[in-house]
Amino acid sequence: MVLRSRPAERDRGMTAHVILLDDDPLSRQMLLHTLNHRSDLRVEVPTGAALPEPGAGRIVLLAHTPERPVRVDQIQALVARGHRVLVIGARWSADVIQRTLEAGSSGCILRSPDVNGLAIAIHAAAAGHVIVSPELIPTYLHASEGPHTAEAVQPTDRALELLDALTARELQILGLLGDGLATSEIADQLYVSAATVKSHVSHALAKLGVRNRVQAVLLIKGAGALGVVPHQSSGNRGPHPRRRRSAMTRMQHTNPRDDATTLAFVPISARLDRLPIVPAHVWACLAIGVGLFFDFYDLFITTVLVTDLPHPRHGSTLAMSATFGGMFVGTMIFSSVADLIGRRRAFLASIAVYSVASLACAISPNLWVLLAARVVAGIGIGAELPVADTYLSDLLPSRYRGRLTALAYTVGFVGVPVAGLMARVLLPQAPAGISGWRWMFVIGSLGAVVALFLRKSLPESPRWLEVVGRSDEAAAIVSRMERSAAQRGPIPLPRLPERSTPPVSFATSWTRPVPRRRWLMMLIFQPLQGVGYYGFGTLALLVFTDRGYSIVTSLTFVALTYIGYPLGSLLSMTIIDRIDRRWLTVWSGLAMAICGVLFAFSHAPGAIVAFGFCYTAVSNVFSNSFHVYQVELFPTEVRARGGGVPYAVSRLTIGLMPFLLVPVLEHLGSAVAFGATGAAMIVAVGAIALLGSPSTGLSLEEINDPRVR
């Protein structure tokens, strides 16, 4: 879903149909004039006194004044016809607010000249939310503790019948909601999980036949049940007096500068996607990027250490395979950790593992200890990339998701030429009598410690927090970002989803058609793209040395070709949000295959370096595109595993690759070796072309809508 979308797209996807019912001609004309200037609203003023024709999804804007108060029967009749009713008025009482909400309306709005606030309310109602203006909340909450009317204290037969269907625990939880507690607070008080609380609430809503928590609490209050429902009173929570708060007080401001309308339960995703780029986004990308820098630095060390390890070529091959074998284990473990206990914990743990293991590599006394340390380092590296992809995908607004993720990877890919240049300087020497390759591992370990401290300041993913029931923490993080954005100007209106997507577990993601197709696509793509992408890093230095160049000259050539990695990543920032990532991945993968073949057939030093540079540059357009694409194809509940499990399989194929490609290079030549990597890449991008779906500019929730094919 694109936030500043083109008018045609906005009108097609988000236009709300509003029916204006206001008996005052002047008031009606002013509202009509105000709303007609909105391209996202279509306003209709019916003639005569008859109710509007039945129609699902239309918003009836009903005027309320002391002289012409809104009628409960009118609201009920409109709701029965499939309309959603918003009541707008200048003067309200607690009794009128309660009766209006109990009648089934979608909200009570204070009349205001702020058209943006009213438009937000209309779109929220269209999405099925219940809304109330913040100025009205004190009127409703601080009224007398007793019921507003004599009728309200008498439980109706229908209400008692509905309440009888609830379990004691469901009544208890709804009572606590009526006291104003959040899901996490109820979970703490009852010593259960937030997921258990949400499950009880869902079952209670279904039994009561209401749409949301507000209506459930109002139903209980209308039945006189709050005094008899078994729940912990506020006296058990501390010295604070009992507060008469409904679930409406859990609402969040959708715009820190707009206090005209407050939305009830605005999804965290809608609030995140409407934001412009704020410092928190940039800081997250840089902190993630620094960690990626040292991961890529370490990952490419084994491709430039062939002359300084015991048994050079054999030792380098074993070291690379050990690293990728560890990456398989790490990706499988930490991608699951990221979905189950949080993205932040997962990437902090992974980089800590890498730092310790890298230092162990530096002090390893023999090849076998080095290989064991490389396995452990691989566990940290393997987790880093898919978890970083997942975290950034969760946090970043949809219209900036590609370029900001590419920014993080651009910082990271600087580590590749740095690894090549440092190898050029350190490997021929032994500073302080210590081999140069050991110093390279020490630098990687210390750099990871720096990245660890930078990342500790990052917040947890708000999307993940919301999914696991920690909505208050998610809202607090997003509110800070909204306040930062508001200092720079107005924030776009939230694009609320037309309908919520059903929750997905890891098991059900394999049984539903769309996720299952995406699992299949990525399980074909990932093993093959790894051969194409890392094949160059495996073979490049060997190609130079086999053609007679000295190791120092070969390392210089490799360092020059590796400059294409950060430059290609920088190039991707300009196009990754302009071209659909499905097709950007396909076309850049085909370009890699062509450049690899040209590199293999070149013999002049200038041509070899030029085609090697082109290969690395276009390969990071490819890499950034698929790193964003692979995680946005899966819902929040399984996003880390959706990106991580296929990526883990690719680590196995890459671990085996040196044992296959190096013999091919030695016996059949570079043309055959690079031809094999090119063929693997063509099959990989073919899977994306045939089985992929659009993602660029869409919200994560739109991409994972079950209706998407």
Side-chain angles (χ1 to χ4, degrees), residues 433-485:
I434 300 174
S435 298
W437 64 269
R438 296 183 185 272
W439 284 111
M440 293 187 70
F441 282 124
V442 169
I443 292 170
S445 176
L446 295 177
V449 173
V450 174
L452 180 65
F453 279 101
L454 291 177
R455 290 186 176 187
K456 287 186 70 176
S457 64
L458 296 179
E460 181 55 87
S461 158
R463 274 187 167 93
W464 180 82
L465 288 171
E466 184 182 44
V467 163
V468 298
R470 295 160 61 182
S471 299
D472 290 349
E473 295 175 58
I477 294 169
V478 178
S479 293
R480 289 196 297 270
M481 299 170 73
E482 288 171 332
R483 287 193 294 270
S484 176

Side-chain angles (χ1 to χ4, degrees), residues 155-164 207-209 219 223:
T156 65
D157 292 340
R158 175 57 178 161
L160 289 176
E161 180 183 339
L162 291 173
L163 292 177
D164 285 341
K207 292 176 182 179
L208 295 174
L219 177 62

Side-chain angles (χ1 to χ4, degrees), residues 1 153 170 175 219 238 349 400 443 447 478 502 536 573 607 635:
M1 191 179 296
V153 299
E170 290 165 353
L219 177 62
Y400 303 121
I443 292 170
V478 178
F536 181 85
M573 292 178 62

